[in-house]
């Protein structure tokens, strides 16, 4: 039997099988084991050499070296978590749905809008749920920003500026790996910054009149795509904005920030991972105390965004049990893929 915390009285545990046990997949596995009402039943990874290591770390949890083998012979589960390289997300999510599992997909949902739409169509046919991991939505500054917008505190929006300046160098992009390849990775916006585009869409709505400029400053021998870009757009709801991003920063991440200028005030969320409110000056309003933001995901020599996967897993457990509303709505995940696809068509 796999290890899990006790389920709430009268409620069976929601069982998870995790496909892809790299940095993120292993984090999912550990958090599932600690999540009340969740149970880890299987781990799936093509690297057979991981078997003994995972057996020691996740005692009693079955290990499989292919998704097909698990779906045919594995112990029953309710949810398949897909945490594999980007290019596999769509096909593996669809396979899980067709086998009767709900699916939780790491970012990005897919690398093509058509594939993301197929995931949703398959879920509807199978009467299963699809969840996308968009961890920025759970950070206290992001929750606060969403509330400020819903309460119309800023009035009309004039400008939105997002800056994402990170380090991803030869320690991250290694020869022979899927990262950095156009076909398997998809590009900087898919792998590194799709959750910031999700935050933009979640808070401000759809965008139009996209324009883009791309640069490859120091990744010419590391990746098959740009390391930096400047995107301009108009908000369908009014106002305009920019997304300025780079993975060419030397040695370590610089910042992730979002600045809003509106009719009745301005605000800025900043820090390395949009983890704090740096400025708030809004008419007849004071920013309330916020809960601390979770620390960044650590991957040894580099860092990612705030570690908010625990909220995503809790949300999946609640939704599978009760059919409650899903904050990480897969339809919005499709929209994020669509926006990135539109941007990259301008290359």
């Amino acid at each position: 039997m796999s290890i899990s915390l006790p389920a709430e009285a009268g409620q069976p545990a929601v069982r998870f099988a995790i496909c892809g046990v790299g940095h993120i997949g292993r984090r999912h596995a550990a958090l599932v084991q600690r999540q009340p009402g969740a149970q880890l039943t299987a781990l799936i990874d093509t690297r057979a050499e991981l078997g003994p290591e995972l057996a020691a770390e996740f005692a009693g949890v079955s290990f499989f070296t292919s998704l097909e083998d698990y779906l045919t012979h594995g112990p029953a589960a309710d949810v398949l978590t897909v945490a594999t390289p980007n290019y596999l997300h769509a096909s593996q999510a669809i396979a899980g749905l067709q086998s009767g599992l709900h699916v939780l997909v790491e970012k990005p949902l897919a690398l093509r809008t058509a594939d993301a739409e197929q995931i949703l169509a398959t879920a509807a046919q199978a009467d299963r749920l699809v969840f996308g991991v968009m961890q920025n939505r759970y950070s206290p500054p992001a929750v606060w920003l969403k509330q400020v917008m819903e309460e119309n505190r800023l009035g009309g929006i004039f400008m939105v500026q997002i800056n994402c300046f990170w380090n991803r160098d030869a320690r991250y992009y290694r020869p022979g790996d899927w990262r950095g390849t156009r076909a398997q990775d998809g590009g900087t916006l898919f792998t590194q910054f799709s959750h910031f585009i999700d935050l933009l869409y979640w808070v401000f709505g759809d965008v139009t009149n996209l324009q883009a400029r791309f640069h490859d400053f120091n990744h010419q021998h590391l990746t098959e795509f740009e390391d930096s870009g400047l995107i301009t757009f108009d908000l369908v709801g009014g106002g305009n904005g920019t997304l300025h991003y780079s993975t060419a920063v030397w040695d370590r991440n610089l910042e992730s920030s979002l600045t809003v200028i509106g009719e009745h005030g301005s605000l800025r969320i900043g820090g390395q991972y949009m983890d704090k409110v740096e400025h708030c000056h809004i008419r007849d309003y004071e920013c309330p105390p916020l809960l601390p933001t979770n620390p960044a995901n650590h991957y040894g020599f580099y860092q990612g965004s705030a570690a908010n996967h625990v909220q995503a897993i809790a949300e999946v457990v609640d939704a599978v049990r009760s059919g409650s509303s899903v904050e990480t709505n897969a339809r919005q995940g499709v929209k994020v893929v669509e926006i990135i696809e539109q941007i990259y068509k301008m290359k």
Side-chain angles (χ1 to χ4, degrees):
M1 287 292 293
S2 61
I3 299 170
S4 66
L5 293 180
E8 290 86 341
Q11 289 270 26
V14 175
R15 301 161 297 178
F16 285 74
I18 295 176
C19 186
V21 197
H23 290 300
I24 291 293
R26 194 166 297 203
R27 179 177 295 278
H28 276 275
L31 291 174
V32 164
Q33 285 197 321
R34 296 203 293 267
Q35 176 64 39
Q39 182 178 8
L40 181 63
T41 63
L43 296 169
I44 307 154
D45 200 289
T46 57
R47 295 166 294 179
E49 65 272 17
L50 289 179
E53 180 182 335
L54 294 174
E57 186 172 351
F58 302 100
V61 178
S62 301
F63 177 68
F64 298 85
T65 56
S66 75
L67 178 58
E68 294 74 17
D69 189 26
Y70 165 72
L71 293 175
T72 304
H73 304 292
D78 304 293
V79 180
L80 175 69
T81 298
V82 177
T84 49
N86 297 352
Y87 72 105
L88 296 171
H89 288 186
S91 61
Q92 291 179 337
I94 289 170
L97 292 165
Q98 290 175 336
S99 296
L101 299 171
H102 305 291
V103 173
L104 172 63
V105 187
E106 263 295 339
K107 65 173 180 64
L109 188 63
L111 293 180
R112 298 191 310 157
T113 305
D115 292 337
E117 293 280 7
Q118 186 59 45
I119 293 174
L120 263 62
T122 305
Q125 292 166 2
D127 193 25
R128 300 288 88 183
L129 299 173
V130 178
F131 310 85
V133 176
M134 291 298 182
Q135 63 265 36
N136 277 5
R137 297 186 183 195
Y138 301 106
S139 293
V143 174
W144 167 77
L145 174 63
K146 177 74 166 174
Q147 182 179 7
V148 166
M149 289 299 299
E150 288 179 342
E151 294 174 354
N152 197 32
R153 297 281 186 180
L154 291 168
I157 300 301
F158 299 156
M159 299 181 69
V160 176
Q161 179 191 62
I162 299 177
N163 290 329
C164 300
F165 300 139
W166 286 11
N167 161 263
R168 292 291 184 268
D169 53 25
R171 296 170 294 181
Y172 179 86
Y173 292 112
R174 299 181 179 182
D177 193 20
W178 65 273
R179 295 185 180 92
T181 63
R182 192 178 303 277
Q184 297 182 346
D185 181 316
T188 304
L189 288 177
F190 279 115
T191 304
Q192 310 303 335
F193 302 129
S194 62
H195 44 313
F196 293 95
I197 294 176
D198 171 73
L199 185 65
L200 171 69
Y201 181 72
W202 182 56
V203 173
F204 299 99
D206 207 353
V207 299
T208 187
N209 297 330
L210 285 157
Q211 299 292 326
R213 295 170 59 190
F214 304 98
H215 302 278
D216 197 9
F217 293 116
N218 61 11
H219 284 190
Q220 294 91 340
H221 304 297
L222 295 177
T223 70
E224 296 176 355
F225 42 74
E226 88 291 348
D227 59 34
S228 307
L230 174 59
I231 317 301
T232 63
F233 53 86
D234 291 333
L235 296 168
V236 171
N240 59 51
T242 61
L243 166 62
H244 204 172
Y245 68 93
S246 180
T247 52
V249 177
W250 178 74
D251 191 50
R252 65 185 182 191
N253 292 357
L254 172 59
E255 72 161 356
S256 307
S257 67
L258 186 151
T259 302
V260 187
I261 299 174
E263 180 184 8
H264 299 148
S266 57
L267 60 86
R268 174 182 166 89
I269 299 172
Q272 283 195 59
Y273 314 103
M274 287 192 190
D275 52 359
K276 54 190 173 184
V277 178
E278 295 184 335
H279 172 83
C280 175
H281 185 58
I282 302 173
R283 186 184 70 183
D284 301 326
Y285 177 81
E286 288 190 14
C287 181
L290 303 180
L291 294 172
T293 301
N294 287 338
N297 283 304
H298 283 265
Y299 308 109
F301 52 83
Y302 69 95
Q303 294 182 345
S305 55
N308 293 325
H309 287 84
V310 63
Q311 291 97 324
I313 292 168
E315 187 175 85
V316 171
V317 170
D318 289 344
V320 168
R321 282 179 166 178
S322 65
S324 61
S325 62
V326 181
E327 189 58 61
T328 49
N329 183 283
R331 171 56 62 184
Q332 295 175 5
V334 174
K335 188 63 184 182
V336 171
V337 175
E338 180 186 314
I339 291 171
I340 297 175
E341 200 170 38
Q342 288 175 354
I343 291 170
Y344 278 153
K345 283 180 180 177
M346 288 180 268
K347 281 192 174 183

